[in-house]
Amino acid sequence: MTERITLSGPSDRTSDADRLPPARFAFDPQTWKEIAHLLANLPVALFGFTYVMTVMLTGLGLTVTVIGFPLLAAGLLGARQLGKMERARARVLLGVRVDEPSPLPLRGRGGFFAQLWMSLKDPVGWRTVLYDLIRLPWGIATFTITLTSLFVAWPVLPFIARGLTNADRAMVRGLLSPSEDLERRIAELESDRGVVVDTAAADLRRIERDLHDGAQARLVNLAMGLGLAKEKLLEGQADETVAAMVDEAHGEVKLALQELRDLARGIHPAVLTDRGLDAALSSVASRCTVPVKVTADLESRPAAAIEGIAYFTVSELLQNVSKHSGARSASVDVWRTDLRLLIQVWDDGRGGASLDGGTGMAGLADRLGAVDGLFVIDSPPGGPTVITAELPWRDRDREGDRSARGEPASWR
């Protein structure tokens, strides 16, 4: 074996530990971003202050004229854009993550004056105006301190910049961030509005389908049968055939009327309008295949809309008891607590009910959620099942009551 010996010069004998690190800036990138933000505070604050003093004060001064309020509303919309720019600057240079506020829902809201009023009371725009007003003295102070420290106090500048930018972060979060409760409520209302629209569309489709497949088809057959009977009478064939056709038409009328009654009950039962929730729920319970005990402890009637939702909620829950629970008994309790209407449906069936069980529970939860209600299921395997629904209580309007108590159409 031949051993190779390599001779190295003095320069090759230098170890890695003796090598110098690469040259770099004394401040890290985040410090330079904070310095840039503080130096940019002055021109940005000058622009925002000038905008507020020019547009907003002009609009306020002209509120005694016709153009004052529209100009003020336009100024607030512009202030929203200034806030958007400031949030973007804070996000890039300060690392502040602030959500964008929801846009004003101006489209399709009543008309010019409704949109004008919505713009004038915009809290996001007014908070941005306040932000721009207090930023000018702060911008002058931060620009002066940062520029001076960059030359005479640069060893401690990172600490100065961090302290000043922390105040900037607090201002952005305090004045330019949306209200979490308000934004969450807006999101919930938008979601609930979609649920209400979808539910109404589904109900309209169901009514149309029931009319087309049920009563309408029977009435068509009735018209055809009566037409044939009329022809035979005109031809002088008043025999047993005509009598049988008239008798069949009479039966079709009875069936069509029964289907129309059922359809009307599904839209809004007359017993609910006439006698209230207690009698209506007792009527629903009497049609259930399981014995149901109904207890309603209500001193007064809630608003018609709340009463209707409560009725249809119990109706669908009792249908589920009949079809899926295998129960031997059930109960329905309705009572009022402060400003809430509570409904509890209990059965001793097999249990296992859930929102994703395919029994319409998810739809009920969505409908109650659309009106600020709650829907809670306690159904362990083996039972019993306890379902609690909670609705907001609204007093029934007296004038609405009088119109709602109009004599319903009845079939004799």
Side-chain angles (χ1 to χ4, degrees):
M1 176 182 294
T2 303
E3 181 178 358
R4 178 177 295 178
I5 299 176
T6 304
L7 298 177
S8 60
S11 59
D12 294 330
R13 295 184 187 136
T14 304
S15 64
D16 292 338
D18 295 331
R19 296 181 186 274
L20 295 175
R24 61 184 179 182
F25 288 108
F27 302 152
D28 60 21
Q30 182 57 46
T31 300
W32 284 113
K33 287 182 179 181
E34 293 175 350
I35 292 172
H37 179 86
L38 295 170
L39 293 176
N41 272 349
L42 180 58
V44 172
L46 279 173
F47 179 79
F49 186 83
T50 303
Y51 175 86
V52 169
M53 298 301 292
T54 303
V55 179
M56 299 302 298
L57 287 186
T58 302
L60 286 173
L62 291 176
T63 51
V64 295
T65 66
V66 177
I67 64 173
F69 288 108
L71 181 60
L72 188 60
L76 289 171
L77 292 175
R80 270 182 163 256
Q81 300 305 312
L82 292 179
K84 183 177 181 180
M85 180 185 70
E86 280 294 273
R87 283 187 292 272
R89 187 165 74 100
R91 186 164 49 249
V92 172
L93 297 179
L94 301 182
V96 177
R97 297 287 183 261
V98 176
D99 294 333
E100 293 294 329
S102 299
L104 287 176
L106 296 178
R107 294 185 179 180
R109 289 302 178 96
F112 173 75
F113 290 103
Q115 296 175 4
L116 177 65
W117 176 243
M118 185 178 297
S119 300
L120 289 174
K121 65 178 184 179
D122 176 25
V124 176
W126 285 111
R127 289 204 308 269
T128 306
V129 168
L130 177 61
Y131 178 86
D132 288 328
L133 284 176
I134 66 177
R135 290 293 290 181
L136 181 60
W138 177 253
I140 295 173
T142 55
F143 179 85
T144 304
I145 293 173
T146 304
L147 188 62
T148 303
S149 300
L150 193 59
F151 292 100
V152 301
W154 59 267
V156 295
L157 181 56
F159 303 98
I160 297 174
R162 180 59 52 86
L164 294 176
T165 52
N166 281 341
D168 272 318
R169 292 181 178 94
M171 290 183 195
V172 171
R173 292 191 180 101
L175 293 176
L176 298 184
S177 62
S179 170
E180 293 183 1
D181 294 338
L182 179 60
E183 291 297 312
R184 183 171 61 252
R185 183 61 181 154
I186 290 174
E188 290 175 356
L189 290 175
E190 290 177 348
S191 176
D192 293 344
R193 181 181 60 184
V195 172
V196 171
V197 171
D198 293 341
T199 301
D203 288 341
L204 287 175
R205 288 194 299 269
R206 177 183 59 80
I207 294 171
E208 180 183 8
R209 182 178 64 252
D210 291 344
L211 284 173
H212 182 271
D213 297 340
Q216 180 179 339
R218 293 194 181 279
L219 291 174
V220 169
N221 291 333
L222 171 63
M224 295 175 61
L226 290 177
L228 292 174
K230 180 181 178 181
E231 291 180 0
K232 290 185 177 294
L233 286 174
L234 292 176
E235 294 173 359
Q237 301 179 8
D239 53 11
E240 296 180 357
T241 304
V242 176
M245 295 176 65
V246 172
D247 185 64
E248 183 180 356
H250 185 252
E252 289 289 333
V253 170
K254 290 182 177 179
L255 291 174
L257 292 180
Q258 181 61 41
E259 290 180 354
L260 288 174
R261 286 194 196 100
D262 294 339
L263 182 60
R265 186 184 297 114
I267 297 173
H268 194 84
V271 65
L272 180 62
T273 302
D274 295 340
R275 300 174 56 191
L277 196 58
D278 189 0
L281 295 183
S282 297
S283 175
V284 171
S286 66
R287 298 194 297 269
C288 185
T289 59
V290 175
V292 181
K293 178 183 178 182
V294 177
T295 304
D297 184 13
L298 299 175
E299 297 180 356
S300 60
R301 296 179 63 178
I306 299 301
E307 199 173 56
I309 294 173
Y311 170 82
F312 288 111
T313 299
V314 174
S315 177
E316 188 156 347
L317 289 176
L318 290 182
Q319 287 182 17
N320 286 336
V321 171
S322 298
K323 296 178 181 178
H324 307 292
S325 70
R328 295 185 300 273
S329 62
S331 66
V332 176
D333 294 293
V334 182
W335 71 97
R336 176 184 177 181
T337 301
D338 295 330
L339 296 178
R340 308 293 284 183
L341 176 66
L342 284 88
I343 303 166
Q344 193 171 82
V345 178
W346 172 92
D347 70 76
D348 59 357
R350 65 176 63 94
S354 63
L355 291 178
D356 55 356
T359 56
M361 297 291 188
L364 284 177
D366 290 341
R367 291 193 182 197
L368 267 66
V371 292
D372 258 356
L374 295 175
F375 189 78
V376 180
I377 300 176
D378 181 13
S379 182
T385 295
V386 180
I387 298 177
T388 304
E390 184 177 331
L391 289 165
W393 180 276
R394 291 201 296 270
D395 290 325
R396 179 173 289 256
D397 182 74
R398 294 182 179 179
E399 294 182 0
D401 278 352
R402 285 196 291 269
S403 62
R405 292 194 191 102
E407 186 67 26
S410 58
W411 301 98
R412 303 290 184 187

